[in-house]
Amino acid sequence: MKASRTPAIADRMNDRFINIKVDREERPDLDQIYQHAPRIDGEQGGWPLTMFLTPDGEPFWGGTYFPPEPCGGDRASPDPRTRSAAPIASDRERSPKNVAALARGAAAASADPKRGELDRARPARPDRRAAVARGRPASMAASALRRNFRRPGSSSCCGAPGSARGQTRYRDAVAQALDTSCQGGIYDHLGGGFARYSVDARWLVPHFEKMLYDNAELVESADPGLAGHARPALLSSGSRRSRLDHASRCSRRRAGSPQPRRRQRARRRQILCLVRSGDRRAARRERAAVVQALLRCRGARQLGRTHDPQSADAPALADTPRPSGSLARCRALAVLSSGAREFIRVWTIKVARFDWNGLMIASRSRMHGIVFERPAWIEMAQSAFDFDPHAHDCTRRASVTQLAGRSCPASRRCRRLCQSLSRRSCTHEATGDEDLAGSGAHCDGNPRPSLLGRSRRRLLFCCGRHRGIAHEAPRQPPIPPFPPGSGDSGRSSLPAGGADRRTGLSASRREWSSRRFRARLENHLSARHLPQQCRAVARTRCRSFSSANADLPHSKRFAPRRIRRFLPARIITCLSPGGSLPADHPAFGKGLVDGKARRLCLPRPGLFTPVTDAETLLESLARLR
Amino acid sequence: MDRNRLGEETSPYLLQHKDNPVHWQPWSGATLAAAQGGRQADPAFDRLCRLPLVPRDGA
């Protein structure tokens, strides 16, 4: 498409060919005829299909997508300078041979019962993954990601070694590819999910083509490529009612027996859950724990493969040491319980798209801590959505840049910051949570709504009456240390007048501790952008804990980690893309179709649980309490 | 074949490309006859697009 709009290529095509364009829906008979040709030629069939025909209509060469220039091993459009189609077309000796070869292949394919399948014997393309692993120039990685038709695997294979070596060019390429994908994919015509194929150069109008496995791989590649810390492991399993039921049914099936019809149906429904971990090895351990928890998981599909306890994969999983502690088991149970609620039917994309919206936003949100600090991204945002970086608070840019580096010792702080920013980004994408306005944010009436800027410290509300840029609630001023010269150094050896008999603290010290505790609590609540209701719950919980555990030392009663423990760390967001898009966005005005999965809940840091209805959301929140 | 003739078509997909610099022609007997008649010695360049909602890559 893009190639034919290039004037030089168009001129050449007009000069040398009679160009015929056919609507496949109007002429499926022609499509059926010519789809076989590229497969026989060792290429992959599909659409848009470009075929070169003889004057008699016989195909002799073709393929699917042709970029204007050769890119990542793909052939280019028929530009004579790129040594592709035109020399072949003008070669009078080779064309008949090609036609004859295709005719022989077509005859063989018609006799083959597996007719129409992809020819596996096609010539191998350059092994991009191996090249990147060997440290080839980042231009190769960049070229792999620059195409309209992106392969998610190239994102992960380019991002991991690049970030491991500290080569930011790899990460930049991955980040730009993913970011542009997200820009178009979330707000596509069909309501959500990544589309790996775009119809325009800016990725504003995505192709409708969305594959479950593509989305899964993109979710996986989004995090390590940009956050640089956590690497999620994907677990995919089929289920009709619940994963446990499905796994038990599969485990009861005897080996070698034909698949029951119920299982065939069940396998079409897939669940994708993310088991997030701090590093790759831990992710593998957790994945193995989840798989083991799936009742020996015969038939459960992990990363697209079918794992059988008797298969060659089983020893590797069995030998994997079980993680110590209950963390992995809790995560496994959480995955199972969340999976039981979630269905994603692969073959009906429109049913799954809203679930994917939640996953996409959640995965993308982690990169927002570093997205807008880079000039290239800002430039891209400017061109895409008229984003004005000067209208946004960039005071934390340096800290984000510093913290986002892998060498930063304060990785926990970085993750926390990214999570904090991610909540704003979710709100930025969602713009439907009016509770946020009641949590201390206010609108400054900025008349320039910007889609991308809302992930920064300022939030943009485009929903209803809240329109403008909203600032988050001001942080509480830090409580100064307890004055040592106030006549009370804190703990007195003997209970004096006004001192607590159990703790031995003076009244002034107790008042200071209480003030510091309240300030910390409010800061935490402010940083998390919790709605009023959750703030009240958190305050009540903290007070209850403090009064019920008055015999504990102050350091334990009012420790920051205890405050965080009571906070319902979660995102609630409303996916209403139609109301948040600029008027010139191609998806503007295209609202939700059936209103599914309007909310997204992150009950625990590191475990994504998309929630599809209000009851499930309330249930998740109740479980946190 | 000196101009883009997709503007005369009724297909929404083809109409999207009526302003394309490539001189696209509809699939018709006249076009094929022109190709066979030697007005253009080179083969026809055929592009089939517009697929319905079907998975690609065998998914």
Side-chain angles (χ1 to χ4, degrees), chain B residues 34-56:
Chain B
Q36 289 177 340
R39 284 185 59 196
Q40 300 272 347
D42 277 337
F45 180 69
D46 186 3
R47 175 164 282 185
L48 291 123
C49 299
R50 186 66 183 274
L51 72 165
L53 270 176
V54 291
R56 186 186 171 143

Side-chain angles (χ1 to χ4, degrees), chain A residues 3-6 9-11 13-14 19, chain B residues 3-5 17-25 45:
Chain A
S4 61
R5 293 194 187 107
T6 306
I9 297 177
D11 292 343
M13 289 169 66
N14 295 332
N19 304 287
Chain B
R3 66 180 178 90
N4 190 328
R5 297 182 186 276
H17 300 272
K18 62 184 174 60
D19 298 325
N20 210 296
V22 176
H23 297 164
W24 292 114
Q25 309 296 318
F45 180 69

Side-chain angles (χ1 to χ4, degrees), chain A residues 243 271-274 331-343 603 607-610 616 623:
Chain A
R243 301 176 77 170
I271 303 164
L272 180 127
C273 298
L274 301 182
R331 288 185 175 178
L333 289 175
V335 169
L336 291 174
S337 60
S338 64
R341 295 195 304 268
E342 302 290 331
F343 296 158
L607 179 65
F608 291 161
T609 307
T616 313
R623 201 166 55 245

